[in-house]
Amino acid sequence: MNLEQLTETISSYIWSWPMIILLLGTHIFLTIRLRVPQRKIFTAIKLSFTKDKDSTGDVSQFSALATSLAATIGTGNIIGVATAVSLGGPGAVLWCWLTGVFGIATKYGEGLLAVKYRVKTSDGTMLGGPMYALERGLKMKWLSVLFCVFTAIAAFGIGNGVQANAISENFSILLSDNSSVASASSWLNNALGLNLDPQFYLSFIVGICLMALVGVVIIGGVRSIGRICSALVPFMAILYVLGCLYILCINHQYLWQAVCWICQDAFSLKASVGGAAGTAIMMGARYGIARGLFSNESGLGSAPIVAAAARTKNSVRQALVSSTGTFWDTVVVCAITGLVLTTSILAYPEIDFHDGGLLTKKAFGMIPYVGTPILTFGILTFAFSTILGWSYYGERAMEYLGGKRIIKYYRIVWLAVCFMGCVMSLGVVWNIADIMNALMALPNLAALLLLSGVIARETKRYLWSGRLNDIDTTL
């Protein structure tokens, strides 16, 4: 067994039913204990566009949300949902959606603890996240250190290398038949006495450009990342959703049938799309829940790191804003994607949908002229924004471990991984990142469950007593 096979086996074992049940169980537990905070989703959406004047923090609530969404909304929303459908059947869409609905409570709890236990540095910067909740709320310094180690490692994989690789591969597909690329590659091979594939030169150039773009943004810290994400995230999400809505208009006669199919298939024992992988209840639930968790990151502990930097009057206001991230990511974007895919299956039953990536390409291919460019642009911008969002997560984890002086070295390594991700295969890196994601989730879930009483008390104090506008003087 080689390293890639070994890490894949470990990843599959860790992300099996016990982890899925733990995460989903936390979602349901917090939903019940906090008296269904999902009921306040429209209030939360309103707050995300409201500036909290005279409040403490580094960036606006919307910038914090946009940075979180930048790291969350990614290729998982596009290819991930397609993979869930191809392996678990249309019923997986319902399980994915339900995971998002219940996950709103967990994302709410994470945001609340992040603000409640955040600290202010000597230069006025706000720092927070599960590591501070574990240290200050539970006095578990050793567990907070483990969380930061897992986060820093995971960031290089799922938040950087694999995203850079996706960007490079998409440029390679776009320019694979370009004669200019072939001519330039031939000239370079003759000049340097080499025999390298044109795709290598293309990946090399993409790597250099990506490294430069990311470097320009992250050198400005959270404010720079927040500004870029605030502009990029709404644009890329709206463009992608409009593309999905266009496809649903084309397939409108199959829409109700698709909804019924999804609901029936979620509880069906009969195999459907995906053959032996099938859509028995367990298979549909497994892939739907797993992809939903990967997509919205509720429970992983990543989003609260940036939520702690938000300017807010009290912890509950930012908790509500943070919870909208799961709403937009899974309840809206993943649901629309699932409907696009299932209506496409009904409209074109002759297409082989075992390949999640091919399924997505076929669906967007229905849009004349601009369908493929929209999909490609979506993947490119989603991947780029993910690199920006996760760079902040990794920096905060490293700062907790080694102080502010270590950040500049971390950024250098971060940019180097951006480049390497464009020019090399990342099977092992992806598997290791999956493993680290699961490991970073465990300390975060411990904080959520053990501090659920604090979350419930703060929620009762501000949310259910109608005192959302009160200023918490302890922040």
Side-chain angles (χ1 to χ4, degrees), residues 350-394:
E350 71 279 4
I351 300 176
D352 182 6
F353 295 110
H354 294 279
D355 185 330
L358 177 62
L359 173 57
T360 310
K361 290 177 183 178
K362 292 292 185 182
F364 274 83
M366 298 177 190
I367 305 177
Y369 307 112
V370 298
T372 300
I374 287 176
L375 178 61
T376 301
F377 178 78
I379 292 175
L380 291 176
T381 53
F382 285 178
F384 179 70
S385 66
T386 300
I387 292 174
L388 298 181
W390 271 91
S391 71
Y392 181 76
Y393 298 159

Side-chain angles (χ1 to χ4, degrees), residues 8 12 23 73 86 132 191 196 198 214 225 236 247 250 262 285 288 311 356 358 368 394 405 418 426 464 467:
E8 184 175 355
S12 299
L23 276 163
I73 297 181
S86 63
Y132 293 94
L196 296 175
V214 172
I225 294 172
M236 70 183 190
I247 297 171
I250 296 176
I262 289 170
R311 289 189 289 268
L358 177 62
R405 65 184 183 278
C418 271
L426 293 172
W464 301 126
R467 298 169 57 191

Side-chain angles (χ1 to χ4, degrees), residues 294-305:
F294 269 119
S295 173
N296 60 52
E297 296 182 9
S298 293
L300 290 187
S302 51
I305 296 175

Side-chain angles (χ1 to χ4, degrees), residues 81-97 257-268 270-275 278-281 283-285 287-288 334-335 337-339 341-346 353 359:
V81 177
T83 303
V85 172
S86 63
L87 294 175
V93 175
L94 179 61
W95 291 109
C96 181
W97 186 79
Q257 185 180 349
V259 172
C260 294
W261 189 20
I262 289 170
C263 295
Q264 292 171 2
D265 198 65
F267 303 100
S268 173
K270 182 180 178 181
S272 181
V273 177
T279 56
I281 293 176
M283 294 303 291
Y287 286 107
C334 286
T337 302
L339 287 173
L341 298 175
T342 49
T343 56
S344 298
I345 293 173
L346 292 169
F353 295 110
L359 173 57

Side-chain angles (χ1 to χ4, degrees), residues 36-351:
V36 194
Q38 291 90 333
R39 290 181 288 160
K40 294 291 185 177
I41 191 63
F42 294 110
T43 300
I45 293 172
K46 180 181 178 180
L47 286 176
S48 65
F49 295 99
T50 303
K51 291 184 178 180
D52 266 357
K53 297 180 180 180
D54 303 321
S55 53
T56 306
D58 299 330
V59 296
S60 69
Q61 291 179 306
F62 180 75
S63 291
L65 173 63
T67 303
S68 171
L69 282 172
T72 305
I73 297 181
T75 54
N77 296 80
I78 304 175
I79 306 300
V81 177
T83 303
V85 172
S86 63
L87 294 175
V93 175
L94 179 61
W95 291 109
C96 181
W97 186 79
L98 288 174
T99 301
V101 171
F102 287 110
I104 290 173
T106 299
K107 189 66 72 76
Y108 169 91
E110 290 177 319
L112 190 152
L113 293 179
V115 176
K116 180 69 177 177
Y117 293 107
R118 68 184 179 180
V119 299
K120 181 185 287 188
T121 63
S122 57
D123 62 0
T125 302
M126 286 293 185
L127 301 177
M131 54 280 211
Y132 293 94
L134 288 164
E135 178 186 351
R136 302 183 70 207
L138 295 173
K139 312 303 180 185
M140 294 182 176
K141 175 78 172 181
W142 65 274
L143 200 54
S144 62
V145 169
L146 283 179
F147 172 81
C148 288
V149 170
F150 297 146
T151 301
I153 296 174
F156 281 119
I158 196 171
N160 188 348
V162 295
Q163 305 298 332
N165 191 258
I167 291 173
S168 178
E169 285 186 358
N170 271 272
F171 271 110
S172 296
I173 293 171
L174 280 175
L175 301 175
S176 58
D177 298 325
N178 191 293
S179 58
S180 298
V181 173
S183 299
S185 301
S186 178
W187 181 86
L188 284 171
N189 279 334
N190 291 333
L192 300 174
L194 300 173
N195 186 31
L196 296 175
D197 189 90
Q199 297 303 324
F200 175 82
Y201 289 112
L202 184 59
S203 298
F204 186 90
I205 294 171
V206 171
I208 294 294
C209 293
L210 179 62
M211 191 168 57
L213 287 172
V214 172
V216 168
V217 178
I218 68 174
I219 198 171
V222 66
R223 288 184 175 87
S224 176
I225 294 172
R227 283 195 300 269
I228 296 299
C229 293
S230 295
L232 185 61
V233 168
F235 176 71
M236 70 183 190
I238 290 172
L239 183 63
Y240 175 74
V241 170
L242 287 176
C244 288
L245 292 177
Y246 181 89
I247 297 171
L248 291 178
C249 288
I250 296 176
N251 296 338
H252 68 275
Q253 66 268 39
Y254 300 102
L255 189 56
W256 178 246
Q257 185 180 349
V259 172
C260 294
W261 189 20
I262 289 170
C263 295
Q264 292 171 2
D265 198 65
F267 303 100
S268 173
L269 297 176
K270 182 180 178 181
S272 181
V273 177
T279 56
I281 293 176
M282 296 296 284
M283 294 303 291
R286 176 188 172 186
Y287 286 107
I289 293 171
R291 295 300 173 182
L293 295 172
F294 269 119
S295 173
N296 60 52
E297 296 182 9
S298 293
L300 290 187
S302 51
I305 296 175
V306 69
R311 289 189 289 268
T312 184
K313 292 178 181 177
N314 56 65
S315 57
V316 171
R317 286 175 71 92
Q318 181 53 37
L320 285 169
V321 173
S322 294
S323 71
T324 63
T326 298
F327 173 79
W328 293 121
D329 177 88
T330 307
V331 179
V332 176
V333 176
C334 286
I336 292 176
T337 302
L339 287 173
V340 164
L341 298 175
T342 49
T343 56
S344 298
I345 293 173
L346 292 169
Y348 301 94
E350 71 279 4
I351 300 176

